[in-house]
Amino acid sequence: MAKKPTQTVSHAIQKQIDRTSYLFLLPMAVFFLCFVLAPMVIGIVTSFFNYRMGVFEFNFGKNYAQLFTDKVFWKSMRNTIVIVIASVPLVTVFSLWVASALSEKSMTATSIFRGVFYLPVVMGTVPVVVVWKWIFNAYYGILNYILKALNLMPQNLRYDWLGEKSAAIWCILAILFTTSIGQPIVLYIAALGNVDKSITEAAEVDGASKLRTFWQVKWPSIMPTTLYIVVITTINSFQCFALIQLLTSGGPSYSTSTVMYYLYEQAFTYYNYGYANAMGVILAIVIAGFSALQFKTMKTE
């Protein structure tokens, strides 16, 4: 009987703590509902409507049917998948290689190089694009100047890297690569620093080479980080938009257009909101499919 008041007080305190916790979560919950969940639902619903300026009528999924016959959409989808397939493995492997090399350096050297590689992420897209646009410029770009100085290009040639169909998409990939490696390198350095050194030292004492030690000891430990990096890089590559808009505007002849850019063009240039939302739904399904495949492939205990 003596314990009953204490239990009642403890229960009351716990209820007060729970209530306070929910109050702290309330602003974020409201923000999520209003600016994340609600736009998603509205986007899915309006994708079944002919939604233009002053027009809002149900069209029985004609937007989705139109996508299957839209050559620009499939061209944009192909470019998007090329960017994903090319960038994700390259970013992951290069970031892991750099992080492995830096993890063996001193703390000062690691911090300096980590800051250098992360600098494009901090600077943002616009300054990076301005620099790369100068590098690829046909008249005064440094890339043409270097190639001519090394006699790898005729002196009278002015190659327009961003204006050629065969070269523009690879220029986009090069820029995307430089802006995508910063975060994976930082994450890999942190993950490698958390690997139990006693296990790696024991493996080296037993005669294991550095490659075998990495593959047998370090790699299983950093698999969760690798999975996160692969999924996030995949999503970011699928959503590539700012580079396209600032550099090529999808040209020449939609050779660098991505689904995100074509979606933006349909929504904010032609005001075809329903059709653009249908593209967004398809893109979300494709991203979810890629992510599920990656989770299944890289699944570990």
Side-chain angles (χ1 to χ4, degrees):
M1 295 294 293
K3 291 183 178 179
K4 217 169 188 179
T6 306
Q7 290 176 350
T8 305
V9 171
S10 300
H11 182 68
I13 293 174
Q14 187 60 47
K15 282 187 67 175
Q16 188 176 359
I17 292 173
D18 293 342
R19 194 181 299 113
T20 305
S21 302
Y22 287 129
L23 286 173
F24 275 109
L25 288 172
L26 184 61
M28 189 61 203
V30 172
F31 179 86
F32 179 80
L33 289 172
C34 295
F35 298 102
V36 178
L37 190 60
M40 286 174 59
V41 173
I42 293 171
I44 294 171
V45 171
T46 54
S47 68
F48 292 94
F49 285 78
N50 180 19
Y51 182 22
R52 297 172 179 267
M53 296 292 288
V55 179
F56 189 74
E57 56 186 12
F58 187 65
N59 63 6
F60 302 96
K62 288 183 180 179
N63 291 328
Y64 293 96
Q66 185 180 343
L67 286 176
F68 287 98
T69 59
D70 190 341
K71 293 182 179 180
V72 176
F73 170 75
W74 288 110
K75 196 172 187 178
S76 302
M77 180 64 78
R78 184 193 65 189
N79 292 337
T80 304
I81 292 176
V82 166
I83 289 173
V84 171
I85 293 175
S87 64
V88 173
L90 191 60
V91 167
T92 305
V93 172
F94 182 80
S95 301
L96 181 58
W97 174 65
V98 171
S100 299
L102 291 179
S103 63
E104 298 178 358
K105 303 294 182 182
S106 64
M107 184 64 70
T108 303
T110 300
S111 299
I112 292 173
F113 281 104
R114 184 168 52 190
V116 169
F117 281 111
Y118 201 74
L119 191 60
V121 181
V122 177
M123 288 177 63
T125 304
V126 175
V128 173
V129 167
V130 169
V131 173
W132 279 101
K133 211 165 186 177
W134 167 67
I135 292 173
F136 289 131
N137 190 275
Y139 294 94
Y140 51 82
I142 191 173
L143 181 58
N144 283 343
Y145 176 80
I146 292 174
L147 292 175
K148 290 177 182 179
L150 296 174
N151 293 322
L152 297 175
M153 178 187 290
Q155 297 297 321
N156 60 345
L157 180 64
R158 292 176 178 175
Y159 193 78
D160 188 3
W161 295 93
L162 296 174
E164 294 290 335
K165 291 183 181 179
S166 58
I169 189 68
W170 302 109
C171 295
I172 297 294
L173 277 168
I175 301 170
L176 184 64
F177 173 77
T178 60
T179 57
S180 299
I181 59 175
Q183 186 183 28
I185 288 175
V186 172
L187 292 172
Y188 268 134
I189 290 174
L192 289 168
N194 291 328
V195 176
D196 192 346
K197 291 185 178 180
S198 63
I199 301 176
T200 57
E201 290 172 357
E204 291 172 358
V205 169
D206 289 340
S209 63
K210 285 190 176 182
L211 181 61
R212 188 173 181 81
T213 301
F214 174 82
W215 188 251
Q216 297 291 337
V217 178
K218 294 183 179 180
W219 177 248
S221 300
I222 63 174
M223 272 299 292
T225 304
T226 302
L227 177 59
Y228 173 80
I229 288 172
V230 168
V231 172
I232 293 300
T233 306
T234 299
I235 294 172
N236 291 338
S237 300
F238 266 112
Q239 295 179 342
C240 181
F241 165 74
L243 290 178
I244 308 297
Q245 185 190 30
L246 295 171
L247 280 171
T248 63
S249 297
S253 301
Y254 289 100
S255 61
T256 59
S257 176
T258 60
V259 176
M260 280 297 296
Y261 179 78
Y262 190 47
L263 185 156
Y264 165 83
E265 186 180 59
Q266 286 293 323
F268 299 106
T269 301
Y270 303 117
Y271 305 107
N272 195 354
Y273 302 115
Y275 190 54
N277 287 336
M279 281 188 224
V281 172
I282 295 297
L283 182 62
I285 293 171
V286 172
I287 293 175
F290 266 79
S291 300
L293 181 63
Q294 289 165 344
F295 270 101
K296 188 175 181 179
T297 303
M298 302 178 67
K299 187 178 179 181
T300 62
E301 293 298 328

